[in-house]
Amino acid sequence: MKQERKTMKTMYWLVLSWLVALIPGTYSQTLEPEGMITALGISGLKRTKRQVAERPLKQFLGQDAEHLDVDAVYAVLMDTGILEPLKVEIQDARDGNGKILMVEVREKWSIFPLPVVFVGSGGTSFGGFFIDTNAFGLNDKFFIGGMYGNDGWMTGTAYMHTPVREGFPGWTLSGAFAQTERRHTDQRNQDLRRFNLDSLSSSARLTYSLTDHLKSSLGVSYEQLMLRETDAPLAAPESGERVIGIAAEVSLRKSRWDGFLLSEESLSGGYTFMAGLEGPSFQVLRFRGIYEKSLLPGFRVNLHTGILYEPGVTLLSESSPAAAQVAILPSSFSARHYGGAALGLEKYLLKTSVGVLSGVISYQGVYSQGSILGDQFDHGIAGALSFYLSKLAIPALGLGIAYNISADYLQGSFSLGMSF
């Protein structure tokens, strides 16, 4: 019996010693197994700082190289707006410990003068901007320029800083001045309100990334709206206004690449309190959702939704239907509250080394509530062709048509412009 206890005790210590010896080896493998991505390699950068390209790729560190989603790598690089991915591959680390995610990119043209043209139901506008979509190689955005149209003119400038290090916020500064004839119309583009207006606006915003996909922002703005004499005013407001806005927003966004189209899945919600310095105060609640899913490479379903609720908003500050994510209402349409959705299908039509041409058709519905028309519901069909130049960090041009079934109104649009 004594010998048996001694044997059991010996076995106990042998097993314990084996477990203790095993733990460090197991821990080391968990950190840096042979098949894990442990480093990043990037080639093709000229103006862009290396950390700008590395930041979106850091989410792939620690992943199993064998099961890497290459399309996801393409998506995050294209999402920067300034990089065109050319090749993605996995290489062995030189010390044999882990794998290296190697990407080859080409920088898009980022500094150029840009003509801007828009033709639609609201009239024709044209102008020009000087743009740098990769200022200082940091993926910062800068533009300055102006527009002139049949309803007046405007000039503006903005600088948007994108943080390249974790824990640091991004920021945006902007300012604009416009002198226009303001038109508020119905669904058939008939004037309901018309007056001359000078507007001065400025804003500052901080944006902080909570995760790779979740962001929050806090901003402050100032706007002064000044009425000018009008030869033939129609239901014009009695006075101008000055307001200071304090805004907070949270947004969640993911992107996917199917080899032809860059799709988006996003949700955003925001609240703004507009404090009246001259005129009443009011509140703004916004929600936007986008769901784009590839059914086949180059063919996807799109669902865009938008909600706007502005209790107490003034006549001067009513909003356009862009807040509802629909195109069946004229851009000069005006309302306090919106709820809209557009369900469509999009197909790439042509892909070349120059860019990608795609076509989309959608069915749209929108509820609106305005100071003159009251509660309204409209629905209809919209289609568009869009062409994106692969070497420019802007959309090139768009051609659209929309038919409002409820109002029996057809409208078209053409645009050459930019989007940040």
Side-chain angles (χ1 to χ4, degrees), residues 287-307:
F287 170 83
R288 189 183 75 159
I290 296 177
Y291 178 79
E292 298 171 339
K293 177 70 173 179
S294 293
L295 305 177
L296 296 170
F299 180 63
R300 70 186 180 192
V301 60
N302 299 336
L303 175 61
H304 293 199
T305 62
I307 297 174

Side-chain angles (χ1 to χ4, degrees), residues 304-370:
H304 293 199
T305 62
I307 297 174
L308 175 69
Y309 181 63
E310 297 180 295
V313 69
T314 63
L315 299 179
L316 288 174
S317 297
E318 288 186 351
S319 299
S320 74
Q325 299 283 291
V326 296
I328 58 173
L329 294 174
S331 58
S332 52
F333 186 88
S334 174
R336 298 167 176 164
H337 314 312
Y338 289 99
L343 178 63
L345 295 172
E346 184 172 4
K347 176 71 171 67
Y348 98 94
L349 303 176
L350 180 65
K351 181 180 180 181
T352 69
S353 59
V354 178
V356 175
L357 176 69
S358 74
V360 61
I361 186 169
S362 65
Y363 179 78
Q364 306 182 357
V366 56
Y367 161 81
S368 61
Q369 197 277 328

